[in-house]
């Protein structure tokens, strides 16, 4: 293959497993980074994907417990709650010129990564997908869509373009966006009200947008004001209208985590929103109450 990349995937779960399998299927060299048990399993069985959109297939991948050689890019696809521990598997000097591409939801992790790795090689991505790691090495991609926005202040454009091209050829249509802040806040503005309220009430989107419409509206407006103050987009009417187009049964991944008793990315989403509000002096009383109800010590 002409432009074969070597890509590490830190945390081969719902997002990481899907991307690892798709990239490997297209001919790129993929090294998954995980705990020893998962690494062993991936080495022998590969990653099995079930997807209406991309088909059912098994992809062979390499797997290790830490990065041991330079790569073109390292995708970071762990949850926030595991980020610090997982990064120990990626020594900064070894990554050196390689891109570090976090797919995490939230707005604060790029700064944390730039403090640890070469700042002009940190290229945050936003992914719109529903993909679940049902067992180690087994991924179910449930959404008819899978799209990526790739960005990265200061990252050389040709490096972003090459990776975007590889993703698009592998499956998920990928755009390169110039404005990192806008890209991250656009996702946050949509996600935060939806995740916080579906989790708070344990209800799917359909019931949240009817039974808790006032709170949803307030959260959307507060989030938009915070986003605007941070340099992101702000269109609360459009955000509300968008929720109305989604299936009533839709659940957020935070809500699924709560249902399964897993730890929540509450600090990365609700906590980050409140910290940004505080920094910019934006009132966010409904957000503060809902975050507090989800986690009394937040
Ligand atoms: N899933 C989606 O559809 C989706 C959509 C948009 C955005 N996101 C965002 O993408 C991020 C990842 O979510 P996800 O749903 O893909 O999570 P996930 O399915 O839970 O996958 C996370 C993976 O990280 C691994 N991991 C945990 N600790 C690790 C460590 N110390 N070292 C190496 N690997 C470790 C887990 O390993 P084990 O398999 O051993 O547990 C798991 O495979 C989150 O920020 C999420 O909000 C997800």
């Amino acid at each position: 293959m002409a432009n074969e990349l070597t890509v590490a995937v830190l945390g081969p779960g719902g997002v990481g497993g899907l991307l690892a399998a798709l990239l490997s299927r297209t001919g790129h060299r993929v090294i998954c980074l995980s705990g020893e048990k998962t690494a062993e399993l991936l080495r022998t069985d590969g990653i099995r994907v079930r997807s209406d959109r991309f088909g059912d297939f098994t992809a062979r991948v390499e797997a290790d417990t830490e990065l041991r050689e330079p790569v073109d890019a390292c995708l970071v696809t762990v949850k926030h709650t595991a980020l610090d521990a997982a990064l120990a598997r990626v020594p900064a000097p070894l990554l050196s010129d390689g891109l570090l591409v976090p797919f995490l939801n939230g707005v604060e992790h790029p700064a944390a990564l730039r403090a640890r790795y070469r700042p002009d090689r940190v290229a945050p991505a936003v992914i719109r997908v529903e993909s679940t790691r049902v067992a180690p090495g087994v991924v179910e991609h449930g959404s008819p869509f899978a799209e990526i926005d790739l960005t990265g202040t200061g990252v050389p454009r040709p490096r972003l373009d090459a990776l975007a091209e590889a993703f698009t050829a592998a499956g998920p249509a990928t755009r390169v966006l110039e404005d990192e802040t806008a890209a991250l806040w656009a996702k946050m503005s949509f996600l935060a009200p939806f995740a916080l309220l579906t989790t708070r009430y344990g209800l799917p989107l359909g019931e949240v947008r009817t039974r808790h419409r006032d709170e949803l509206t307030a959260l959307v407006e507060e989030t938009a004001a915070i986003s605007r103050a941070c340099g992101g987009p702000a269109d609360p009417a459009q955000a509300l209208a968008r929720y109305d187009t989604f299936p009533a049964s839709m659940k957020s991944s935070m809500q699924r985590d709560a249902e399964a008793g897993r730890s929540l990315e509450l600090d990365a989403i609700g906590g980050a929103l409140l910290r940004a509000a505080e920094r910019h002096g934006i009132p966010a009383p409904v957000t503060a109450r809902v975050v507090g109800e989800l986690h009394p010590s937040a």
Side-chain angles (χ1 to χ4, degrees), residues 109 178 197 261 291:
H109 58 279
E178 288 292 332
L197 282 187
V291 171

Side-chain angles (χ1 to χ4, degrees), residues 1 31 55 58 60 85-86 88 96 113 123 139 150 152 154 173 178 204 212 254 257 260 265 278 287 290 293:
M1 193 180 135
I31 308 168
T58 301
R60 300 210 62 80
S96 105
L113 293 173
V139 173
L150 183 62
E178 288 292 332
H212 300 280
M254 187 187 281
D257 284 342
E265 290 185 302
E278 171 90 27
T287 310
V290 173
E293 286 165 352

Side-chain angles (χ1 to χ4, degrees), residues 9-17 33-35 37-38 64-65 76-89 102-106 109 126-137 140-141 143 187 191 253-254 257 262 265 268-269:
V9 177
L10 177 63
V15 170
L33 304 173
S34 66
K37 260 177 106 172
T38 302
D64 208 335
T65 54
V76 182
T77 51
V78 293
K79 291 208 158 128
H80 272 277
T81 43
L83 183 60
D84 274 346
L87 289 176
R89 303 185 189 282
F103 279 82
L104 291 76
N105 282 319
H109 58 279
V126 166
I127 184 162
R128 289 177 289 281
V129 74
E130 275 178 54
S131 185
T132 308
R133 188 221 72 155
V134 289
E140 265 181 27
H141 168 220
S143 55
K187 177 73 186 272
L191 180 73
S253 58
M254 187 187 281
D257 284 342
R262 294 187 288 263
E265 290 185 302
I269 297 174

Side-chain angles (χ1 to χ4, degrees), residues 187-211:
K187 177 73 186 272
M188 180 74 140
S189 299
F190 174 77
L191 180 73
F194 165 54
L196 293 174
L197 282 187
T198 50
T199 310
R200 164 68 183 85
Y201 291 110
L203 291 173
L205 177 61
E207 284 180 74
V208 163
R209 74 188 168 207
T210 50
R211 288 169 57 182

